[in-house]
Amino acid sequence: MKGNMSSHIYGKKMKTITAIILFITTWLFSSITLAASHNIILSAETLPNGQYGYKMISHTTDGAAPNYPADAVIPGPTLFVQGGDVVNIQLTNNTNIKVGFNVGGLSVGNAISILPKQTRNYRFNADKVGTFPYGDEKSALLGLFGAIVVDDPSGKVQSFLDGDGTLTAVKRDQLNKEFVMFMVGSTFWGAEISADGTQKPLWTNPTLGAVENQLVRFHVLAVGHAHTFHLHAHRWPDSTNNGNTASSNIIDVKLMSSPHSSHTFTIKAGTGVGPGVWQYHCHVMSHMQSGMNGKFHVVAAGSGETGDSIAGASPRGKIFLNDSDEPGLVTFIMSDEPGSWFRSARGNALSPVTHTKSLEIIPPGSSVHFIMSDTNGVHTVTNLLWPSDAGKNDHGGDHFMIPIDETKAYRGGGIVQLNVPGLYVFTCKIHPFMFAAVIVDDPKTDGLDLGNTIDLVSGIKDLPTSSDLATRLVSTFFIATTPSNWRDFTSTNPWHVAYPNVDVVTDAGKLSLVEVLEARYGQDVQLTSLSKPATPGVGEVWVDTQFEKTAGKTKPGAITVLDTSDWTLKRKIALPQINMNNPHNMWANRDHSVVYATQWFDTKLTLIDQKTGKLIKNIHVGDTPSHVMTLPTTDDVTIAIHGENGVVRMPVGTTEVDYMMPTQQHGQAPANPHGHWISADGKRIITPNVNTGDAGIYDTETGQIVVRTQTGGGAPVPHPIAIGMMPDSSRVYAANLLHHSISVLDGNNGALLNTINLIADYNPITGEFADKDGNGVVAVGVLPIQTPVSPDGKVMVTASMGGQIVITDTTTNKIVKMLSCDPGCHGANFGAKQGGGYYAYVSSKFSNRLIVVDPDPNGDGKLDDAEIAGSVSMVADKGVPKDDTVSNLAGFGGQGVLPLPIVYNGWVQNLPSEWSAGLTDKQRNPIQ
Amino acid sequence: MRRIFAAESLAGNLSLSHKKKCNFRLMSTIWSRMLFAISLLFLINSVLAGNLHRIGMFAEEMAGGYFAYRMMHYEIIGQDGSASNITSRYSNAATIPGPTIIITEGDEVEIELMYQINPDRENSKHNQVSIHVHGVHYDKDSDGTLKYINLYKDESATPVVSYIYRWHAALGTAGTWPYHDHNMDSHNGAEDRGLFGALIVNPASAAMNNIKKEFVLYIVDDAIVGMETNNTTGQHTPLWVNPTLTAERDSDVRFHVLALGTNFHQFQLNDYTWVDPGTVNQINTKAIGPLEKHVFVVNATHSSSYMDTAFSSVLLGMKGDFVVAH
Ligand SMILES: [Cu+2]
Ligand SMILES: [Cu+2]
C-alpha cells in the first residue's frame, strides 16, 4: 500500500512539472479583454411537466456568444460576462404566471415582474466578480433560475489545490469544462459548459463526467432552502470571501445559505485520489434521505473513455402525454393549500382526466420530484404504500430509495426514480392527509398498472390491489385531494365523488376504476339534513375550520365559534392581518380570556381575545406546532412542536417560549409529538410520538423522560397521533392512526395494558364488516385520530378519519358502539351538556358540519344508547361577525375542537365564576 | 515545506496589487505571473514521507438506539520503522463523537473497521457499516460507500468480514475533517445515530506545540457533543453532551466545531474573537451547516460560554461553559 501510493505520487510529479510549464506559457501571453455590453433576449416558458424554464433567444455581444440550448432549460442558460460589463436583458413571459428577473447579489434596476404575454427590459452592471443566481423571486423553485458568472477581466478564475498540495492559479481558457449545479429543494439541477462554450442541460441529479486531471470549475448555487454541498474525494480552497484569490481554507463541504447563495471552485478531477465514481450530495441528513445526490465520474486518462456527463430525469422526458426517449420527471408542489397539498405542477391540465391534481402517471424509469415551494411548514416525503416488488432487496437497487422516508421533518423536497410498475402513494408523516399518487404504467399493458400487490408503511405486506383495503385507500385519496369531492352540507344535491373513468390493471385483472369504487363505496348519497341537538350545551365551542379560505389572505383557515345555547355561529376568526395558516388546535388560559391557537403548517402560536375574537399576539414557537394545552397547576402554556423534537413552554403571563422539553434523549430519532395531553394534577405530559411509534410520559417539573412505551402492537409505523387520559391519570390512551388501534397504558408507569383493535370487525380483503371480535357490536374505526376520555372518566370517543366515531367504555376498555361520521373525521373534545353530562363534539376535515355526540343520553351510565344528538353547519351566514370574507371551502377542514368552559378534571376547578356558573355540581367536580 | 504557505501569501499579495494598479494591468499582470510562476517551480519537491497510523476500530451498538465507534488498537509506525502503541490514550468504550484521530500532513492511515452490531436478519443487505472520511486522499477502495453509489463495490465492514480503509494525508490536506458511516441501513448511512468522529491533520509546515488542548465539538440537531484531547498527555476524553470545557489560563486551545444532521446552526463563543479561516475577519460567531467544519485557536484568558444561537437550539439549551482556571 505504502509503496503504491508513493509511486503514484512520483508519477504525478512529472505530470505536474509539464502542466506548470504549459500553464506559464499560456498565462503570460493570454490577452486581456475590455468591458463589453451584452444584449440578451430571454423568454420564460412552461415545460411539458408543468415546471418553468428560461430560454435563450439571442445573445449579442462584442465577442463570441456561447452556444446555448435551443429550448427552455433548468437551470436557465448560464450567462458568462466579465467584471465591468453591462448586461441588457429583454424578457418575454410565455407562461401563465407572473415572471420577473432578479439577480441575487447584484442589483437589477426596476426589477418588477411581468404578466403572461408581456415583454420587459432589465439591465444590470456586472460590478462584482463572482457567480450569482438569477431568476424569478416567487417561482424560482419551479425552475425559473439560472446562473450569471461574472469573471475577472484578466481571465483568472478560482485556483485549484493540486494533489501535491500546490495551490495553482487557473485561467478560464485552461478549464476543460464547467458545471453549474443548483441545489433546489432536495434535487440538483445541472448544466455543463464545455471548453468551446457549448451549454448542455444535465437536468436532475446528473452523472457529471470528467477525465482524470482535467480542470473542472463548479458553480454551486442555491435558491430557496439551505443546503451543504459535498463532493467525495476532492477538496478545494474556499474563495467565497476573497473573490478569486487563493485561500488557505481548504474545504470539501460548503454551506449554501437561504434564500440564495453561490460557491465557485476549481478542481483537478481525481487529483491525489485517481479515477472513480465519486458521489456529490447535499450533506443535510433529510435531504440525503430524500434523494439529493449524484455521481462525479472521473475516468482514467488514456483509458479511451471520454468522461462525458449523463443527464438525469428531465421535465422534457417521457411522462404521461409527453413522448420522449429520455427519462422523464413529474413534479409535485408541496403546499399549504387544502386538497392540493401535493399538487402536480401540471395538475390543472391533468385534472379533467384524473379528477385530482395529485395524481401523476409515468413510465418505468422516470422520476418523481417534490418541492416544498408553497408552504411555511416542515414536512416529510414518505411512501404510504408502494408495489411490493419495489421495496424488495432482491429487486435491483430500488430498495435503497423505496419506501422513501426521512428521519426528520424538514424544508426542501425530494426526488426518486420509480422502476417497478404499480401504484405508489406518498404522504407527509407530519400531516398524514397530504397525499400524492403516482401510477408507474408499463406502456405494454392495457390499462393503468396498479400492480398485483402493495406494501403499506404500517407493516402490511403483499396486499392485493383489488382488495377492499387497497381500493378504500384509493377512494380516500380521491376524496382528500379534491375539495369538490368533500361532503358539503349546504348543498341539496347528493354527495358525488368524481373518480377517473379509467381502466386499471390489478391482481384481479383489468377493472374499471370508477365502477369498482362506486360499487364498493356508493355514489350520489343523499346527505341527511342537519338538526340541532334538543338539549343545549354549556358555553361555546371553538372549531378550527382549518381549510376555510378567506379573501384577505393567501393561507387557509378560520376558527368558527359556536354558541351552544342555541347552536348558532357566533363568530368567524380568520386573522388576515397575520395570514393565519392552517389553525389546527386550541386551548384557553385559566380565566378563558385568551384562546391559544396553533398554526400547523407554520411556526406560530396565535393568541386571540376570547370575547372579541381579535388578535392579541402571534408568536414564533417552532416548526409546525400542532397541539396546545395549559398546565392546570400553573397555567403555563405547553405547545407540541410536531415538526421538531419536543414540547415548548410559554410561562404564564409571558408571550415568549423559554424552554423546549425534548421528547427523546439527545441524538435519538426525533419523536415528532403531535396531540399531547396533560394529567389532571399537571405532573405529567404525555405525547404521542408519531415518528418513533411510542407514547412518552414526561415529568413536567424536571422535563425528564419517565417512560416511553411502544404502541401499536409492534407494527413498524403505528403512527400514534393523539392522547386521551383518565381524569384520575390512571390510564393513558394513544390512538394509532396507521395501526387502527388504541394502546392502553398505565398512567403511572407507562406499562402497556391493552391494545384495542379498531378494525377487528373489518375484513381488509373483502371489505365485510362483521362482529369478528365477538363483543356484540359491529364497530370499526379506520385511521383513528383524536380520542378524548370524558371528564368523568366513563367513556372515550374516538374520531376516525375513515368516517367513524367509536365509543369505548373505559371501565372495560371495550368498544360499545360505532356512529357514522364524515370523511376525514378528526377532532373530538368534551364539553358540558346543560343540566349534567357531556357532549363530545366531533369535527371532520372533508365536511363542513360539527357532529354532537351524546354518549349517554338518558344519564343511566350505560353507553349502549350513545347517539348523535345533532349536527351543526360550520358555514357562517351573512349575519355572523367575521374579520374577513369567506371566499371558498366554507366551513371545511374541521380539526381542533375547544369547548369553553374547559370542563376536564384539574382545569374545571380553576374556572372563574362567570364560566363555572352554568355547570352542575357534578360537572364542577367530575370525579367525586 | 514552509514554501507552500509563502507562495500562497505571495499570490494573495500580488493579486491585491494587481487590482489596485489597474491602469498598468497588462504590465503588472505579466510581471506578477512571472513571479508566481517562478515561485511555483520551487514547490515541486513537495512529497513528504510521514508516519503510518495503524488503527483498528469497532462500530458498536449503544443503549438508547445509538451506534458508535470504539478504538480497539492504535499503533504509530515511524519512518524509521519504530512502533509506538497509543491505544491506551483512548477510551476503551464506544464514544460519541468517535475517537479523534490526530495526524500530520505526509502521514498515512490504515484503519480496519469491525462490525459489532446485531445484524438485521430481515434485511441482510443493510448489515454494513463503513468509515467515509473527508478531506484527505484515498483511492476508490477507501471511499466507504456502497456499490449502489460508487458502481464498484460495497466498501463496508459486515458481520462476517472487516474492512480496511487507507488514507493519505497528502500535502494540502491539513485541516480538521469529519469521518462518518456511509453505509448502514441505507446508502446514506447512520451518521445521525452516532457513527461520526473527527480527523485532525496538522500541517507539516508548522509545529502545533503551543496548542495544549483540542476540543472537538459536534453540533447535532439537539445537542453539542464533545471530545477533548490533552496534547500534553496525549489523552482523549469523551465530554458527551453540552459539556463544560476547561482550559488553563494563558494556554492556547483549539476548537474544532463540526455539525451533523438536518439543522443549521450559529456557533458562538462569548467574549472571544478569532480569525475566520481563509480571511482576515475577526469573528466570534459562525454559521455552520451539516458536515461543515470551523477551526480556530484562542488563548484562554477568561471563563466564558459557548452556544448555538439558532432558535430551537437555544430552547434546547445547546450550550456549555468554557472554564478557564490556573
Ligand atoms: Cu440540502
Ligand atoms: Cu406535512
Side-chain angles (χ1 to χ4, degrees), chain A residues 378-379 428 430-431 434:
Chain A
V378 292
H379 305 276
C428 162
I430 305 295
H431 310 99
M434 297 174 65

Side-chain angles (χ1 to χ4, degrees), chain A residues 722-844:
Chain A
I723 296 291
M725 198 164 182
M726 290 294 282
D728 62 359
S729 312
S730 59
R731 285 195 300 278
V732 167
Y733 295 89
N736 299 306
L737 180 82
L738 296 180
H739 189 246
H740 317 284
S741 69
I742 306 276
S743 296
V744 189
L745 275 54
D746 183 296
N748 292 309
N749 60 23
L752 182 69
L753 303 174
N754 189 9
T755 303
I756 305 171
N757 182 355
L758 299 181
I759 52 167
D761 290 352
Y762 167 63
N763 182 327
I765 304 296
T766 64
E768 184 198 13
F769 284 41
D771 182 19
K772 289 201 289 180
D773 57 4
N775 61 359
V777 289
V778 177
V780 167
V782 176
L783 301 167
I785 305 185
Q786 290 190 15
T787 191
V789 175
S790 62
D792 58 6
K794 291 192 173 142
V795 59
M796 175 168 66
V797 168
T798 308
S800 299
M801 201 165 142
Q804 307 89 16
I805 298 166
V806 178
I807 313 284
T808 303
D809 184 337
T810 51
T811 48
T812 59
N813 288 329
K814 291 253 161 30
I815 300 170
V816 292
K817 192 115 187 192
M818 173 176 73
L819 302 171
S820 181
C821 195
D822 292 328
C825 189
H826 185 115
N829 234 335
F830 285 93
K833 182 171 133 187
Q834 196 178 85
Y838 298 97
Y839 281 139
Y841 298 101
V842 180
S843 66
S844 297

Side-chain angles (χ1 to χ4, degrees), chain A residues 180-507:
Chain A
V180 169
M181 297 292 282
F182 267 88
M183 301 175 82
V184 184
S186 294
T187 302
F188 286 91
W189 291 86
E192 178 174 319
I193 298 96
S194 62
D196 70 1
T198 302
Q199 299 196 7
K200 182 182 163 199
L202 296 179
W203 304 110
T204 55
N205 293 355
T207 295
L208 308 177
V211 179
E212 190 181 4
N213 296 331
Q214 280 188 333
L215 293 185
V216 180
R217 183 160 70 147
F218 281 77
H219 305 270
V220 182
L221 300 100
V223 288
H225 311 104
H227 304 275
T228 46
F229 177 84
H230 174 47
L231 171 61
H232 281 208
H234 291 76
R235 62 217 69 73
W236 57 89
D238 178 5
S239 341
T240 305
N241 294 320
N242 358 5
N244 292 349
T245 305
S247 161
S248 60
N249 192 31
I250 305 301
I251 61 169
D252 71 355
V253 174
K254 181 67 182 177
L255 169 65
M256 309 298 296
S257 52
S258 179
H260 57 74
S261 53
S262 78
H263 177 60
T264 300
F265 59 92
T266 306
I267 54 157
K268 184 167 158 186
T271 188
V273 298
V277 176
W278 307 110
Q279 194 184 34
Y280 65 83
H281 60 97
C282 177
H283 229 308
V284 171
M285 195 68 197
S286 291
H287 292 175
M288 292 160 70
Q289 292 170 329
S290 50
M292 196 164 188
N293 66 79
K295 296 172 171 67
F296 179 42
H297 188 180
V298 179
V299 302
S303 65
E305 293 180 89
T306 51
D308 289 343
S309 301
I310 304 165
S314 130
R316 294 192 184 286
K318 51 188 164 188
I319 55 179
F320 178 60
L321 300 178
N322 192 62
D323 261 348
S324 164
D325 292 332
E326 307 298 321
L329 183 82
V330 291
T331 290
F332 287 104
I333 298 161
M334 293 174 72
S335 170
D336 298 340
E337 188 64 19
S340 303
W341 298 286
F342 284 96
R343 177 173 74 244
S344 167
R346 55 173 185 156
N348 289 336
L350 284 180
S351 55
V353 181
T354 57
H355 294 287
T356 168
K357 293 174 186 169
S358 301
L359 171 65
E360 269 291 359
I361 302 161
I362 59 173
S366 286
S367 294
V368 184
H369 164 233
F370 304 90
I371 179 77
M372 298 183 200
S373 57
D374 186 30
T375 173
N376 295 341
V378 292
H379 305 276
T380 68
V381 175
T382 303
N383 260 122
L384 180 69
L385 59 89
W386 58 92
S388 305
D389 275 352
K392 285 190 179 136
N393 268 352
D394 53 4
H395 203 100
D398 284 12
H399 71 280
F400 283 113
M401 283 307 287
I402 299 292
I404 192 172
D405 191 19
E406 301 82 24
T407 336
K408 260 193 91 125
Y410 63 102
R411 293 189 165 79
I415 184 166
V416 58
Q417 188 184 57
L418 303 180
N419 296 304
V420 178
L423 175 66
Y424 299 74
V425 175
F426 302 88
T427 187
C428 162
K429 281 193 290 194
I430 305 295
H431 310 99
F433 49 80
M434 297 174 65
F435 295 124
V438 177
I439 295 171
V440 176
D441 182 47
D442 180 349
K444 294 193 286 286
T445 60
D446 182 17
L448 294 173
D449 295 304
L450 298 190
N452 284 332
T453 65
I454 49 174
D455 285 6
L456 270 63
V457 69
S458 58
I460 295 173
K461 290 199 191 309
D462 302 315
L463 180 74
T465 48
S466 67
S467 65
D468 184 78
L469 179 55
T471 58
R472 193 173 284 272
L473 288 166
V474 169
S475 163
T476 302
F477 166 82
F478 284 107
I479 295 170
T481 60
T482 307
S484 60
N485 284 342
W486 298 352
R487 265 189 198 174
D488 181 1
F489 283 88
T490 63
S491 166
T492 51
N493 297 328
W495 177 46
H496 183 85
V497 179
Y499 298 116
N501 186 10
V502 294
D503 287 338
V504 291
V505 187
T506 69
D507 63 302

Side-chain angles (χ1 to χ4, degrees), chain B residues 91-234:
Chain B
S91 166
N92 54 22
T95 59
I96 301 174
T100 302
I101 299 168
I102 304 180
I103 63 176
T104 303
E105 271 179 310
D107 287 359
E108 291 181 17
V109 178
E110 203 178 277
I111 185 162
E112 182 175 14
L113 181 66
M114 267 139 296
Y115 185 101
Q116 294 280 308
I117 296 162
N118 272 334
D120 172 349
R121 305 217 176 272
E122 261 185 50
N123 276 314
S124 61
K125 285 194 178 173
H126 292 178
N127 294 329
Q128 309 202 34
V129 69
S130 78
I131 300 176
H132 164 72
V133 70
H134 288 220
V136 294
H137 295 188
Y138 53 79
D139 68 21
K140 67 175 183 175
D141 289 278
S142 293
D143 192 35
T145 47
L146 294 173
K147 186 177 182 184
Y148 175 72
I149 287 168
N150 60 42
L151 307 184
Y152 174 53
K153 64 176 180 180
D154 287 341
E155 301 174 357
S156 318
T158 70
V160 289
V161 63
S162 65
Y163 197 94
I164 298 174
Y165 304 91
R166 293 187 167 89
W167 308 336
H168 178 213
L171 290 176
T173 64
T176 301
W177 304 103
Y179 68 82
H180 57 85
D181 171 50
H182 213 298
N183 294 358
M184 228 185 90
D185 284 338
S186 75
H187 65 96
N188 302 302
E191 62 184 51
D192 60 336
R193 295 176 70 180
L195 288 167
F196 56 83
L199 167 70
I200 299 172
V201 181
N202 284 316
S205 59
M208 291 286 145
N209 301 341
N210 61 312
I211 293 167
K212 297 302 175 209
K213 274 189 175 183
E214 317 280 359
F215 297 119
V216 169
L217 295 179
Y218 257 99
I219 313 180
V220 298
D221 282 346
D222 59 359
I224 300 173
V225 285
M227 176 68 77
E228 173 183 306
T229 305
N230 182 324
N231 284 341
T232 311
T233 63

